[in-house]
Amino acid sequence: MKKRIMVDMDDVITAGGFLHLVNEYLKTNYKEDDFESFYMQDIVPDKDEFFKWFKTHNMYEYCTLTSDVYKVLEKLSKNYEIFIGTSYIIRDIIKDTGFLLPQKYEFLINTFPFLNPNNFIFLGNKSVLNCDIKIDDRIDNLDGAKTKILFTAWHNKNISKEELNNNGIKRADNWKEIENMLLNEGININEWT
């Protein structure tokens, strides 16, 4: 039986869509490195107006794939069972975030034909997913995995190596590193736990 991997979507597979819309709305040119908090929308003065506008756009029309993700996921899919575990909850508009579900689904099914759509999981609390390996940009989403890989993003760069080690977490700065961790013959992921 193949080992199971849960892969996060936003800021792991895709990048830039939310930031693009923040910049378009504010008529600014922020970069990811201008933020420390996960919640980029905190810089928007009137969040109610912003999210009314935001809901009329599809952020996946403006995002890019993170470098090498397509190639590495395709390789991984031959050796592992891949699950996409992605949140569709925006804390500021919890009751209205269902509009993200079809956007996420359409993007995934059209972009990654080799992934099984039955393995697309849309949820807020990822701790219920017990996979052998989890790849996410948030530490709290790695619970429930034997092998935990934190994908580097603007909001987690300052998490110390000591904190990661204490929680049994490996950091990956890019998909090439994930490929080396999970596909190279010399790596024994069972030693990480």
Side-chain angles (χ1 to χ4, degrees):
M1 186 168 154
K2 289 182 177 179
K3 288 189 182 254
R4 293 178 165 184
I5 302 178
M6 184 218 78
V7 182
D8 180 33
M9 184 173 172
D10 300 308
D11 304 312
V12 175
I13 291 175
T14 65
F18 192 86
L19 178 58
H20 174 89
L21 291 176
V22 167
N23 277 326
E24 186 176 320
Y25 181 79
L26 294 175
K27 299 184 179 10
T28 53
N29 193 26
Y30 287 109
K31 308 279 186 252
E32 283 184 350
D33 289 338
D34 295 327
F35 298 87
E36 289 183 19
S37 165
F38 176 77
Y39 299 103
M40 290 179 172
Q41 66 265 33
D42 287 347
I43 64 162
V44 178
D46 187 343
K47 283 193 226 173
D48 289 339
E49 285 303 310
F50 168 69
F51 280 113
K52 280 182 195 168
W53 177 86
F54 178 84
K55 288 189 293 187
T56 66
H57 293 76
N58 181 342
M59 72 175 174
Y60 297 102
E61 292 176 2
Y62 307 99
C63 71
T64 59
L65 290 178
T66 51
S67 186
D68 298 310
V69 68
Y70 187 95
K71 180 175 67 170
V72 175
L73 273 181
E74 191 171 31
K75 287 181 183 178
L76 287 172
S77 72
K78 293 176 176 137
N79 297 286
Y80 296 92
E81 187 174 9
I82 307 288
F83 291 83
I84 304 301
T86 182
S87 178
Y88 65 97
I89 304 295
I90 298 175
R91 71 162 190 194
D92 303 281
I93 54 168
I94 289 176
K95 291 182 179 178
D96 297 330
T97 54
F99 73 95
L100 284 175
L101 290 165
Q103 293 177 8
K104 284 176 174 274
Y105 180 81
E106 294 283 327
F107 180 85
L108 289 168
I109 202 159
N110 290 324
T111 307
F112 300 101
F114 54 87
L115 293 178
N116 181 349
N118 289 311
N119 291 356
F120 299 164
I121 303 167
F122 305 98
L123 73 173
N125 181 352
K126 298 181 188 177
S127 68
V128 299
L129 300 177
N130 293 317
C131 292
D132 301 292
I133 302 161
K134 284 187 177 180
I135 303 167
D136 207 295
D137 61 317
R138 297 186 63 169
I139 284 182
D140 55 335
N141 289 334
L142 297 172
D143 289 342
K146 293 177 184 170
T147 301
K148 304 171 185 180
I149 302 173
L150 182 70
F151 195 85
T152 300
W154 78 92
H155 58 87
N156 69 30
K157 287 182 179 177
N158 294 329
I159 298 173
S160 70
K161 189 171 185 176
E162 180 181 16
E163 183 179 347
L164 295 177
N165 287 340
N166 289 341
N167 289 292
I169 299 170
K170 297 287 184 185
R171 182 184 286 279
D173 291 329
N174 55 59
W175 277 94
K176 281 291 191 190
E177 289 184 11
I178 291 172
E179 180 179 17
N180 288 334
M181 287 178 192
L182 300 180
L183 291 176
N184 280 359
E185 292 178 29
I187 301 295
N188 182 357
I189 61 171
N190 295 321
E191 293 176 359
W192 295 358
T193 58

